[in-house]
Amino acid sequence: MASNDQTFFKSLRNLETSYRNIRILAFTSVALFFLITVSSLVFAYRVKTDSESRIYVVEQGKSLIAALRNDVRENRPVEARDHVRRFHELFFTLDPDAHAIEEHIREALPYADESVSRLYLDTKEKGYYNQLIQAAASQEIQVDSIQIDLNQYPYQFRTFSRQQIIRLTNITVRRLVTTGYLRNVSRSMENPHGFLIEKFAVLDNTDLEERMRQ
């Protein structure tokens, strides 16, 4: 009888020990889960904060550089001008190659709304791109100045540029004055500045001079 009692109490102690170990394991698991959850939330918050504290600048029209900023409002004028400048470089720089033209236009379209799409289709329907290809002519642009009114939203801009139509025997220089509005949108790889050009229009595109190539 005493042997049975000892066996019973020993089993009871083993059960108590097992139960205590299970509770310790459960508490440890809950604490570990809580720690992982908190760490994940902190990491996600830091990633979001870091992402929102970056601006994107196009360097030489090719690579994107993420630049840290302290106040986005201080850098928006810089980004706005870079957005307008880069759009003009993409849309109005043309080579006598159909694939190259389509690639430039494809990169330029995310910078603007349907007003630019309509301008592209209208220019294409008039045969302008085919004329460049057939004449083996290139079109280059130099943006001289960009005026942006940041006091009223959406921000109206006006751009003053010069175009060069380079043919085999001569070069035509044209004035290019454009206008439009800038609206804030989400950033993306296709639109790194977070602006969208709206109501884009060409105000002046008259010839300035024509000279023979050397």
Side-chain angles (χ1 to χ4, degrees):
M1 187 69 178
S3 176
N4 290 336
D5 291 341
Q6 290 178 356
T7 301
F8 173 76
F9 286 117
K10 184 177 181 180
S11 298
L12 186 60
R13 284 196 298 270
N14 289 338
L15 287 174
E16 290 177 351
T17 302
S18 299
Y19 180 67
R20 185 169 58 250
N21 290 338
I22 290 174
R23 284 193 303 172
I24 293 174
L25 180 61
F27 288 144
T28 303
S29 299
V30 171
L32 182 61
F33 177 76
F34 178 77
L35 181 62
I36 292 174
T37 302
V38 171
S39 300
S40 300
L41 291 175
V42 171
F43 177 75
Y45 175 77
R46 288 181 177 177
V47 169
K48 181 176 182 295
T49 303
D50 180 69
S51 176
E52 291 178 348
S53 67
R54 293 176 182 272
I55 60 173
Y56 295 86
V57 179
V58 180
E59 183 184 42
Q60 297 179 348
K62 296 180 180 179
S63 60
L64 292 174
I65 299 177
L68 290 174
R69 56 155 167 84
N70 295 323
D71 189 345
V72 66
R73 294 176 184 174
E74 295 179 0
N75 291 281
R76 288 309 267 170
V78 177
E79 289 192 287
R81 287 182 174 82
D82 198 55
H83 184 88
V84 173
R85 182 183 302 276
R86 183 58 183 152
F87 165 76
H88 281 75
E89 291 172 349
L90 287 171
F91 193 81
F92 292 103
T93 299
L94 304 171
D95 293 315
D97 178 86
H99 178 73
I101 292 174
E102 290 178 0
E103 183 67 18
H104 269 231
I105 299 300
R106 184 188 65 80
E107 291 185 43
L109 289 181
Y111 282 63
D113 68 358
E114 66 276 4
S115 60
V116 170
S117 300
R118 289 196 300 267
L119 176 61
Y120 163 65
L121 292 176
D122 183 59
T123 305
K124 185 176 182 179
E125 289 177 359
K126 291 179 179 179
Y128 181 74
Y129 301 120
N130 286 333
Q131 293 173 17
L132 286 178
I133 296 171
Q134 293 172 3
S138 299
Q139 177 177 286
E140 298 178 355
I141 184 173
Q142 178 182 328
V143 179
D144 296 322
S145 66
I146 302 171
Q147 299 175 355
I148 302 179
D149 182 7
L150 295 171
N151 296 317
Q152 187 171 354
Y153 182 80
Y155 313 122
Q156 186 175 13
F157 70 86
R158 181 166 293 194
T159 304
F160 300 87
S161 311
R162 281 179 294 170
Q163 283 179 298
Q164 284 196 129
I165 314 299
I166 304 172
R167 303 180 182 86
L168 293 176
T169 58
N170 59 50
I171 298 175
T172 301
V173 180
R174 291 177 179 171
R175 177 188 294 110
L176 178 63
V177 181
T178 62
T179 187
Y181 294 84
L182 291 175
R183 176 165 60 88
N184 291 316
V185 295
S186 299
R187 301 176 190 270
S188 66
M189 290 300 296
E190 291 76 22
N191 187 342
H193 304 103
F195 283 111
L196 187 72
I197 295 174
E198 297 181 322
K199 301 178 182 178
F200 182 76
V202 176
L203 301 179
D204 188 3
N205 196 205
T206 55
D207 290 355
L208 295 176
E209 65 170 316
E210 184 173 320
R211 61 178 183 269
M212 302 301 295
R213 293 185 63 180
Q214 298 294 330

